[in-house]
Amino acid sequence: MSFTLSNVFSGAFSSVGKGFVPLLVFTVLLYILPTQAVTLGLRYGMGVPFGTLQAFEGNMLYVSIGAALVMYFMTFMHVSAVYEVCVLAMAGKPVKMGEVFVHALGNAIPIFAIYLLCAIGWFIGGLLLVVPAFIFGTFFSVVIPAYVTEKPGIFGAFSRSQALTKGHRWGIFGLWVMVLVIFYVLIL
């Protein structure tokens, strides 16, 4: 299958459609419930709205940092589960919820490391007049799916992403630009 915007969108919607129930379950369990539990726990249990300056004063600083770490860990588990469910759905394989959950648990820390390395790369690229940041983002746009599906290791996932995007980088760049334009039009 060739890389076109049509194929990207049809493949994305197809995988979500095929794996809708597991995706919904993982989204509720690994993203919505933990986020709401932390937010409501801080607001009603501690009397402090999460994300306000009050949440970062005195002893609340430690509670807020702990809450943020829990939410991020669960978010990285969610990211892993979503990619794995979509890949399994696209391949027509059954989704075994327990196996996906265990994989997501094991992938959370490496995915955090990948996000951290990507953020550093984008930051350094942004300091170098923005163009290198776009190049970095295009080369490594599939680093997390490569890690989740192939398990090449953190640095191996970067190499695999670079190999997977070869020959398709202008299309990927165009897709990113289109997404950014749509995003900015919607928020205005």
Side-chain angles (χ1 to χ4, degrees):
M1 180 183 334
S2 63
F3 180 83
T4 64
L5 290 179
S6 172
N7 288 343
V8 169
F9 284 111
S10 68
F13 287 115
S14 174
S15 65
V16 169
K18 291 176 183 175
F20 182 76
V21 171
L23 287 171
L24 181 63
V25 169
F26 282 120
T27 298
V28 169
L29 291 178
L30 296 176
Y31 186 75
I32 294 173
L33 288 179
T35 302
Q36 291 305 310
V38 166
T39 303
L40 293 174
L42 285 173
R43 178 173 298 242
Y44 297 110
M46 305 296 282
V48 176
F50 187 68
T52 63
L53 289 178
Q54 294 171 333
F56 298 100
E57 295 176 346
N59 290 336
M60 285 306 300
L61 174 64
Y62 303 112
V63 173
S64 294
I65 289 172
L69 289 174
V70 167
M71 286 182 7
Y72 280 123
F73 186 81
M74 299 302 281
T75 298
F76 295 137
M77 284 182 66
H78 178 248
V79 167
S80 174
V82 165
Y83 281 122
E84 188 169 348
V85 167
C86 287
V87 167
L88 290 171
M90 288 295 289
K93 295 180 180 177
V95 176
K96 296 177 182 170
M97 302 286 281
E99 285 182 17
V100 173
F101 183 82
V102 169
H103 294 159
L105 189 61
N107 288 340
I109 301 294
I111 288 175
F112 167 73
I114 289 169
Y115 268 98
L116 186 62
L117 291 171
C118 284
I120 292 168
W122 288 319
F123 177 75
I124 292 170
L127 291 176
L128 299 171
L129 302 174
V130 180
V131 173
F134 286 116
I135 293 169
F136 181 87
T138 302
F139 274 44
F140 302 118
S141 59
V142 293
V143 67
I144 292 176
Y147 179 82
V148 170
T149 58
E150 298 179 8
K151 300 278 191 263
I154 293 171
F155 294 107
F158 282 93
S159 298
R160 187 67 179 128
S161 178
Q162 189 173 4
L164 288 169
T165 58
K166 187 175 184 176
H168 304 292
R169 293 185 183 130
W170 281 110
I172 294 167
F173 177 74
L175 179 65
W176 282 113
V177 169
M178 186 180 76
V179 167
L180 285 172
V181 167
I182 291 170
F183 174 76
Y184 283 116
V185 165
L186 291 175
I187 65 169
L188 291 178

